Amino acid sequence: MPSLSRRAATEVFGTFALVFFGCGVIAMDAFPGARSGVMGVALVHAVVLSVAVSAGMMISGAQFNPAITLALLSVRRMSVVDAGVYIASQLAGSLLAIAALKAVIPSSAGRLTLWGTPMLNTQVTFSQGIMLEALLTFFLMSAVMGTVVAAKAPRIGGFGVGLTLFFAIMIGGPLTGAALNPARAFGPAVMTGTYAGHAVYWIGPIVGAVLAAMLWHHFLLKDEAVDG
């Protein structure tokens, strides 16, 4: 297994990529002549996560998401120390990504979109937001368990995980922003000071990911040996 420092660096890299390009496409959606819409936003998130997971899965497992890390910890597929380092790395990658965006994208576009900070639609309640984020993250975590964690997983790289974001954002994007990832919400929220409904993007994804991990670990993959 690669050293913890190499795995941490990979988590920074992957989370940076997801947040930089994910928030970047949202910010640029407000730029004249660069309209991409919900489908464009969904596609960029899906592709960048697919590529990042494919690139990093052999080093760190390519989690790039505190909810996924905590879910793997809950089923004892990670140690407490490793999980803590992974989460710190993911949050650092998110902050660095927004700092980089602010340096290279016109501030007018960034301000209009709060640099991609996910927000609850005014017609969505706090509890509905949590439930939707939990449900969507349940499918994301299921893709992780079934295509990355499972010993007999199909050789499709990270595309089974990344493409989950496409249909998740198409459904949840207009309602909650479909972050499915506390780190995806953390960086832009901190950098803009926008914390309205921020707890949704921690509670929902963590609950959904843990439930999915429990289902796969204790039932769907129960015959597989646990690594770590």
Side-chain angles (χ1 to χ4, degrees), residues 91-144:
L91 297 180
S94 179
L95 290 171
L96 289 171
I98 299 300
L101 269 181
K102 285 190 167 186
V104 300
I105 286 182
S107 59
S108 58
R111 286 195 301 269
L112 284 173
T113 59
L114 293 175
W115 296 101
T117 306
M119 300 284 289
L120 291 178
N121 186 288
T122 55
Q123 298 183 55
V124 176
T125 66
F126 185 81
S127 59
Q128 287 176 325
I130 289 176
M131 288 188 289
L132 181 57
E133 287 287 315
L135 179 60
L136 297 177
T137 310
F138 181 92
F139 284 96
L140 176 66
M141 188 67 202
S142 293
V144 171

Side-chain angles (χ1 to χ4, degrees), residues 57-81:
M57 62 193 301
M58 297 303 294
I59 302 173
S60 69
Q63 297 171 26
F64 312 147
N65 185 334
I68 290 175
T69 299
L70 290 172
L72 292 173
L73 176 64
S74 74
V75 293
R76 296 178 295 176
R77 289 180 179 263
M78 288 195 76
S79 71
V80 173
V81 172

